Amino acid sequence: MKKAIFLFISLSLLLIGCSNNNTEQSVAAENQSDTTNSSNTIPSYYNDYILNPQVSDDRFIQDVGESFRDKRGELTLQAIKNDSQTYKIDSIELTIREAKILHFKPDYGLIDFFHSYTHDEEFDFVKMFAEIKNTSDTPLKFAPAAIVSTSSGEKKTWEDDIYLEELNGEIGANETKKGNVGFIIKKSKIDFIEITTSDVFNEKEEKISDAEKVKLEF
């Protein structure tokens, strides 16, 4: 991955960062009244996670066929992989806690947001909940999913991420980030996805480690 990816990422984060943070806080408060028919409990790795303002809450749904509806729309789980795997890329520890394929019917008020990704009023997407830890004493720059490829031949880049949870870019010394990345796909019946991370860069934009490829099978 070329280091130019971070120039584009940084610009995007500047434009959306402040508005997303405010929106996420209000969404988190609203969702305290949301309910689900699932008997599942929220996995512990979601502790302190702030709910996304664009995509419905999928934390409860852990069994294929389950659905959940909230103010952002309705999600139905089509496939899941929830055995955590950790990958070490120089001083970065990337843990994929879960991967899911979901069908989403967004609320009418969110249709315009998703029109920049698809013109379908409901769609399938693949998402990963990731934790990124910088184990070094200096800031680093990294993106957990620079490219995502599916077994059906679809390919997505970090620019297609619908969650926008600021996992890309700089991560401080000994800092941990966690959140979702997700990508709309045309074919939900897939056997696996392959994630290509970015390279790892230091503060001076010097590459210190090559990208890693991670294969997740459903």
Side-chain angles (χ1 to χ4, degrees):
M1 294 294 109
K2 294 184 179 294
K3 66 182 181 182
I5 187 175
F6 289 105
L7 298 178
F8 290 104
I9 291 172
S10 298
L11 178 59
S12 300
L13 295 182
L14 284 173
L15 292 174
I16 65 173
C18 293
S19 60
N20 267 6
N21 288 339
N22 292 336
T23 307
E24 286 170 358
Q25 291 173 3
S26 62
V27 166
E30 290 174 357
N31 271 271
Q32 293 177 4
S33 62
D34 289 343
T35 59
T36 179
N37 293 325
S38 172
S39 60
N40 294 325
T41 57
I42 297 174
S44 60
Y45 48 79
Y46 276 107
N47 290 347
D48 302 320
Y49 172 68
I50 298 175
L51 294 178
N52 190 274
Q54 288 88 232
V55 187
S56 291
D57 181 9
D58 70 293
R59 295 174 301 164
F60 287 99
I61 49 178
Q62 300 290 319
D63 299 314
V64 173
E66 282 190 319
S67 296
F68 179 84
R69 181 168 184 83
D70 59 17
K71 295 175 178 65
R72 287 165 298 290
E74 183 177 7
L75 288 171
T76 301
L77 182 61
Q78 297 181 322
I80 184 171
K81 177 182 176 62
N82 56 4
D83 52 334
S84 296
Q85 297 289 332
T86 298
Y87 308 88
K88 191 166 179 62
I89 312 159
D90 197 80
S91 295
I92 294 289
E93 288 183 359
L94 170 64
T95 301
I96 307 295
R97 293 295 186 185
E98 66 177 24
K100 292 177 177 177
I101 301 172
L102 296 141
H103 184 77
F104 188 34
K105 299 178 183 177
D107 181 80
Y108 180 79
L110 285 168
I111 294 297
D112 284 345
F113 171 81
F114 287 107
H115 272 174
S116 60
Y117 300 93
T118 179
H119 290 292
D120 296 332
E121 294 191 359
E122 54 184 84
F123 49 82
D124 298 320
F125 69 96
V126 59
K127 60 146 281 192
M128 290 75 68
F129 189 83
E131 291 183 17
I132 309 164
K133 184 177 181 180
N134 177 3
T135 62
S136 76
D137 294 327
T138 59
L140 297 174
K141 296 182 179 180
F142 178 73
I147 300 173
V148 174
S149 303
T150 75
S151 60
S152 67
E154 291 184 69
K155 183 174 287 188
K156 301 290 182 176
T157 72
W158 62 271
E159 296 172 295
D160 301 311
D161 176 26
I162 62 175
Y163 276 89
L164 305 176
E165 292 189 349
E166 302 185 26
L167 295 185
N168 299 327
E170 184 168 296
I171 179 169
N174 300 301
E175 181 185 1
T176 298
K177 292 182 180 181
K178 63 181 179 179
N180 287 300
V181 291
F183 306 88
I184 295 173
I185 55 177
K186 294 180 180 179
K187 297 180 180 179
S188 62
K189 293 183 179 180
I190 55 177
D191 299 320
F192 67 84
I193 59 173
E194 185 177 74
I195 301 167
T196 303
T197 72
S198 73
D199 298 328
V200 181
F201 295 87
N202 63 21
E203 288 182 285
K204 297 179 181 179
E205 303 288 348
E206 298 168 334
K207 186 173 81 169
I208 60 175
S209 180
D210 290 333
E212 180 83 11
K213 287 191 175 181
V214 176
K215 186 175 181 180
L216 303 176
E217 297 182 348
F218 291 100

